Amino acid sequence: MYNQRPWAKCQHNSSFKGSELTLRLSNFPPAVPFSLCAFSACGSALLFSSIYIIGCLVCCVTTYISEFRSPSFLDWVSSKIQIPMDALQIHRTSSTCISSLRSASTPPTLGLLGQVRFAPLCNRRGRVFLHRTRSVRDRNEGEFRRFRNRSSAVEGEEETEIILGAERDGRIIGFHLVPESDDEEVVDSDSTTSATKTIEEEIEGVKGEEPQVRVTHNIVFVTAEAAPYSKTGGLGDVCASLPVALSAHGHRVMVVSPRYLNGSPSDKKFSGAYDVQCRIKIPCFGALQEVAFFHEYRAGVDWVFVDHPSYQRPGNPYGDNYGAFGDNQFRFTLLCHAACEAPLVIPLGGFTYGEKCLFLVNDWHASLVPVLLAASYRPHGVYKDARSILIIHNLAHQGVEPAATYSNLGLPPEWYGAMGWIFPNWARTHALDTGEAVNFLKGAIVTADRILTVSEGYSWEITTPEGGYGLHDLLSSRKNVLNGITNGIDVIEWNPASDEHISSCYSVHDLAGKAQCKSALQKELGLPVRPECPMIGFIGRLDNQKGIDLIQSAIPELMQDDIQFVMLGSGDPQYEDWMKATESTYRDKFRGWVGFNVPISHRITAGCDILLMPSRFEPCGLNQLYAMRYGTVPVVHSTGGLRDTVKNFNPYAKEGNDQGTGWTFSPLSKENMLAALRVAIRTYREHKSSWEGLMKRGMERDCTWDNAAVQYEQVFEWAFSVPPYVQ
């Protein structure tokens, strides 16, 4: 661009005729001039063009001197053009000046002097700058100087245009040109020194600031769900918020997800997406499968939905009341193939994303994408500069199907080794079972350029036999590209100061509204309204991973204390029935809400004093982040993302020295969970100041997606710093 070419400031002024060029050294008085004698009017145009080119070339040499600073090079340049290269002034004087600059009152002996100088090109703590001034010289009556100000020039001041640029490893990486004003004034040159000094002092004031050089990418998220269009858990929340955060950082972001239609009111969520009139045929499962694309541009992100009849059925994205869909492998194979084609064939905003993309594939549903890039695209010269990053949200779900289904995936036969998987002996169903299978997640682990998990703790846990689910050896072998980044939350939706779902808003500076939320929740659930009674909440899926069996075994003992307990969730029918029975047994202390309801989840989060999360494993966990945001103190099992985000309360720590935001317990047992809960209950009752400190520290915690997006950008940089893992 223009402002990246410092020599572009040396421009020919067509208002001069019959000119004389003087090249003068600014740092070596007296100056050694190189004069070109006056030439005839008929040859002035040709000579001036030559002079202009020479001036620009000299400026170029001066600019690039920062690249070649050896004394031998400097001496060679000086010997060839006979001037030192620290600084350069180009003086152009004229016998005739055609200008609006006080032309009526300016004596004809005045000539316009255009001056450009580097002052000098050397490091000033990582900064380099260029001064450009213009002046008018009166050869008979003294010297005057014109100074141009960005707003307006006034007499007695001089302005200089300053081009600031950063210099890294001796390279000038950019300039910023201060635009000139059209106003011109003739002022006394005595002010030049003071004005220049003032500006140089201003430059010194910012000399420590390094300019932000942001590299942007074309990013393609591939996911089975993305809120608000589809959601069953944390994956939908992540793929709803992270793309928006990355788009706000300047990246071009596309999210590719199925267009689920189940005949319910939720279908209206896709009403903003239009058919882009693009059909492709995907060779898989023994035939050519035709899919269409729908598109909606929202929040700076291209939301692309893959349309196929297999996505149009009652239930959630993965199953219905009878269990998981039997054709899930087919449905998500289509998604992966379509996601690889979308950047090439869909002109969003008039332009496709192209081949140099960064694919972020989420969990096993999208794990075929890195394998397709390596096996089906790069051998044909497509996506050679693309990268893929696998994001593991839950390693327990791997997309394992019988080995015989490999031929349906649309992959070359020789790539079976990437997808092939053999179950250990203890996991086989019978003595004749060979244990052979295809494993989608394993295919991505061995072909993706980098691997991420949704918390640092979980990135370590999946490399252990206890947390690796049979893939720990593979993950350990790729430990050098395995990282963890803790999820953020939507701080606009989850904001106690503006939440429309709660009865009274509050903030870290005014907690009065939280007590009102508690009273309103007790009244809504039919519990006795008792502000002094500790209220414990649980929100989550009803299965063994979430530790529901521990809560079930601890409830009889916990109900002996003076507390209230509220649960919200759905899942295993046996736990749903248990919740209903427990509510009947402890009508004044326990409430169980079977199902999931967004407004109720907000009210439970705001109204409870304690949030319990006894998960056996938790890749990240979002409910503890929501709870802390609302001043509800979490009590969690020390695992995965729970350990990373909840700091154990230390009542003896000095103020401001990691006093903690909740309680953690380990190992996982009913006794340890009850012990941690009772410490929290006693603190709530007997140490109000400590409890308020716990609430405020949790509410002040930075859990925004912007913080996580910065960490993702670092991983992007690492991914593109080396060739693709599989070429």
Side-chain angles (χ1 to χ4, degrees):
M1 296 177 61
Y2 177 81
N3 62 355
Q4 292 176 321
R5 301 193 296 269
W7 54 86
K9 300 293 288 185
C10 306
Q11 298 189 32
H12 170 62
N13 191 327
S14 59
S15 64
F16 297 102
K17 300 177 182 179
S19 299
E20 178 184 22
L21 180 75
T22 302
L23 295 171
R24 182 172 300 172
L25 301 176
S26 64
N27 286 357
F28 290 85
V32 182
F34 290 85
S35 299
L36 297 174
C37 62
F39 48 88
S40 61
C42 62
S44 61
L46 178 61
L47 185 56
F48 237 104
S49 299
S50 302
I51 293 169
Y52 172 73
I53 294 172
I54 293 172
C56 290
L57 289 175
V58 173
C59 289
C60 293
V61 172
T62 307
T63 302
Y64 283 98
I65 206 70
S66 59
E67 289 281 341
F68 306 96
R69 297 189 176 190
S70 63
S72 59
F73 180 78
L74 293 173
D75 294 340
W76 179 84
V77 172
S78 298
S79 64
K80 293 298 181 183
I81 64 175
Q82 299 181 358
I83 60 172
M85 302 306 296
D86 303 49
L88 174 67
Q89 292 183 351
I90 302 177
H91 287 198
R92 180 166 52 201
T93 60
S94 171
S95 59
T96 305
C97 174
I98 303 174
S99 172
S100 62
L101 184 133
R102 297 188 180 180
S103 56
S105 58
T106 304
T109 54
L110 290 181
L112 188 62
L113 178 69
Q115 182 184 78
V116 178
R117 70 179 184 272
F118 288 82
L121 274 179
C122 61
N123 273 333
R124 291 200 177 191
R125 299 187 185 178
R127 307 290 290 181
V128 64
F129 53 89
L130 169 67
H131 287 279
R132 178 175 187 258
T133 63
R134 291 183 180 179
S135 62
V136 176
R137 184 180 302 255
D138 186 343
R139 298 187 183 91
N140 300 323
E141 301 178 5
E143 181 175 301
F144 292 83
R145 187 174 295 272
R146 174 177 57 84
F147 181 71
R148 303 173 67 138
N149 190 286
R150 292 185 67 176
S151 57
S152 63
V154 295
E155 191 167 345
E157 296 180 357
E158 176 178 0
E159 182 190 65
T160 182
E161 297 174 31
I162 303 169
I163 305 174
L164 291 176
E167 188 171 317
R168 293 183 180 174
D169 303 326
R171 293 177 289 109
I172 300 173
I173 61 173
F175 289 94
H176 172 67
L177 264 64
V178 179
E180 300 180 359
S181 168
D182 293 332
D183 300 329
E184 298 180 350
E185 294 289 344
V186 177
V187 298
D188 197 310
S189 62
D190 292 340
S191 62
T192 301
T193 303
S194 60
T196 304
K197 182 183 295 184
T198 301
I199 293 173
E200 291 190 355
E201 288 175 355
E202 292 176 358
I203 296 172
E204 290 297 318
V206 297
K207 60 188 176 183
E209 299 177 4
E210 275 295 324
Q212 295 293 327
V213 180
R214 188 182 298 279
V215 177
T216 59
H217 301 285
N218 290 342
I219 301 174
V220 181
F221 278 80
V222 189
T223 177
E225 55 183 277
Y229 307 101
S230 54
K231 174 186 173 182
T232 63
L235 173 61
D237 288 326
V238 172
C239 293
S241 300
L242 180 57
V244 176
L246 290 171
S247 174
H249 282 226
H251 302 280
R252 190 183 184 196
V253 183
M254 175 198 299
V255 178
V256 182
S257 182
R259 183 172 178 257
Y260 300 110
L261 299 177
N262 52 25
S264 70
S266 63
D267 293 352
K268 294 180 180 179
K269 296 176 181 178
F270 294 96
S271 60
Y274 68 92
D275 190 345
V276 298
Q277 301 299 322
C278 179
R279 304 289 188 273
I280 62 171
K281 293 186 177 181
I282 297 172
C284 65
F285 284 79
L288 291 176
Q289 314 292 337
E290 183 176 277
V291 301
F293 294 100
F294 283 70
H295 171 248
E296 179 180 2
Y297 183 77
R298 180 181 60 81
V301 175
D302 292 304
W303 304 88
V304 174
F305 304 104
V306 181
D307 188 53
H308 187 268
S310 64
Y311 302 131
Q312 301 170 10
R313 62 182 65 164
N316 63 48
Y318 313 114
D320 53 20
N321 294 333
Y322 301 98
F325 295 131
D327 62 347
N328 274 343
Q329 186 192 50
F330 169 72
R331 299 166 76 228
F332 295 119
T333 296
L334 283 182
L335 172 65
C336 294
H337 279 275
C340 290
E341 289 294 313
L344 303 176
V345 301
I346 306 179
L348 302 177
F351 301 93
T352 63
Y353 273 57
E355 295 183 27
K356 191 174 182 180
C357 289
L358 174 61
F359 289 89
L360 298 185
V361 299
N362 295 269
D363 275 350
W364 78 265
H365 324 97
S367 290
L368 196 61
V369 170
V371 186
L372 287 170
L373 296 179
S376 301
Y377 286 91
R378 289 195 184 114
H380 301 284
V382 183
Y383 284 132
K384 296 184 71 174
D385 294 323
R387 301 291 188 276
S388 61
I389 297 177
L390 169 65
I391 304 177
I392 300 175
H393 299 260
N394 193 335
L395 190 66
H397 305 289
Q398 300 177 7
V400 179
E401 296 287 347
T405 62
Y406 175 81
S407 59
N408 295 330
L409 304 182
L411 291 170
E414 61 270 19
W415 278 84
Y416 175 81
M419 302 288 293
W421 173 250
I422 298 179
F423 280 103
N425 290 330
W426 60 266
R428 301 179 187 180
T429 56
H430 51 79
L432 299 179
D433 185 1
T434 61
E436 295 183 2
V438 291
N439 186 320
F440 273 47
L441 194 62
K442 182 251 184 177
I445 290 172
V446 300
T447 55
D449 295 289
R450 296 197 70 90
I451 304 170
L452 284 174
T453 64
V454 290
S455 69
E456 292 183 31
Y458 194 57
S459 68
W460 170 79
E461 288 182 3
I462 62 176
T463 62
T464 65
E466 295 79 9
Y469 288 88
L471 295 174
H472 54 279
D473 288 334
L474 274 176
L475 289 164
S476 296
S477 69
R478 302 214 63 195
K479 211 168 186 177
N480 60 321
V481 296
L482 175 61
N483 302 96
I485 299 175
T486 302
N487 285 338
I489 62 173
D490 187 341
V491 295
I492 297 177
E493 178 184 359
W494 291 91
N495 184 2
S498 59
D499 195 334
E500 61 182 11
H501 300 302
I502 62 179
S503 60
S504 180
C505 295
Y506 58 95
S507 68
V508 68
H509 305 295
D510 182 9
L511 295 171
K514 185 165 178 63
Q516 299 175 23
C517 289
K518 179 178 179 179
S519 299
L521 179 64
Q522 290 172 328
K523 186 176 181 180
E524 180 179 4
L525 297 177
L527 292 170
V529 179
R530 299 178 56 199
E532 77 286 354
C533 179
M535 196 172 191
I536 303 171
F538 171 88
I539 303 173
R541 195 169 60 253
L542 303 181
D543 60 20
N544 282 336
Q545 178 201 336
K546 300 298 182 181
I548 303 300
D549 56 324
L550 266 73
I551 297 177
Q552 182 181 21
S553 62
I555 279 294
E557 192 172 344
L558 194 59
M559 289 292 101
Q560 297 177 11
D561 296 336
D562 185 19
I563 65 154
Q564 294 175 344
F565 203 106
V566 181
M567 296 184 68
L568 170 67
S570 62
D572 194 324
Q574 67 169 334
Y575 292 129
E576 293 180 356
D577 294 339
W578 166 78
M579 281 173 52
K580 298 174 183 176
T582 304
E583 181 176 332
S584 300
T585 304
Y586 305 99
R587 297 203 57 84
D588 291 337
K589 291 188 173 184
F590 186 92
R591 287 292 181 271
W593 187 300
V594 177
F596 186 77
N597 184 290
V598 172
I600 289 295
S601 69
H602 280 247
R603 291 198 279 273
I604 292 176
T605 302
C608 286
D609 302 299
I610 299 169
L611 182 80
L612 178 63
M613 293 186 68
S615 304
R616 281 183 164 76
F617 68 92
E618 196 66 67
C620 177
L622 295 177
N623 286 327
Q624 82 278 10
L625 300 177
Y626 299 149
M628 289 188 288
R629 174 82 167 156
Y630 279 67
T632 301
V633 179
V635 176
V636 304
H637 175 219
S638 183
T639 182
L642 301 179
R643 180 174 56 242
D644 292 346
T645 55
V646 179
K647 302 304 178 185
N648 206 40
F649 174 57
N650 179 8
Y652 304 105
K654 294 182 179 179
E655 187 172 352
N657 291 334
D658 196 18
Q659 292 176 284
T661 55
W663 281 270
T664 63
F665 60 90
S666 184
L668 183 66
S669 67
K670 180 187 78 171
E671 292 73 22
N672 289 334
M673 182 183 72
L674 285 173
L677 277 174
R678 284 170 175 154
V679 171
I681 292 169
R682 184 176 178 183
T683 304
Y684 173 82
R685 286 192 173 124
E686 301 178 5
H687 305 280
K688 293 296 184 181
S689 60
S690 295
W691 190 265
E692 185 175 333
L694 280 163
M695 295 170 61
K696 289 185 175 180
R697 285 191 294 276
M699 296 178 75
E700 292 170 347
R701 186 183 183 277
D702 182 8
C703 52
T704 62
W705 272 110
D706 185 69
N707 183 37
V710 172
Q711 300 178 59
Y712 271 90
E713 287 179 313
Q714 178 61 70
V715 177
F716 300 165
E717 183 179 337
W718 292 338
F720 280 98
S721 65
V722 295
Y725 181 63
V726 180
Q727 301 186 52

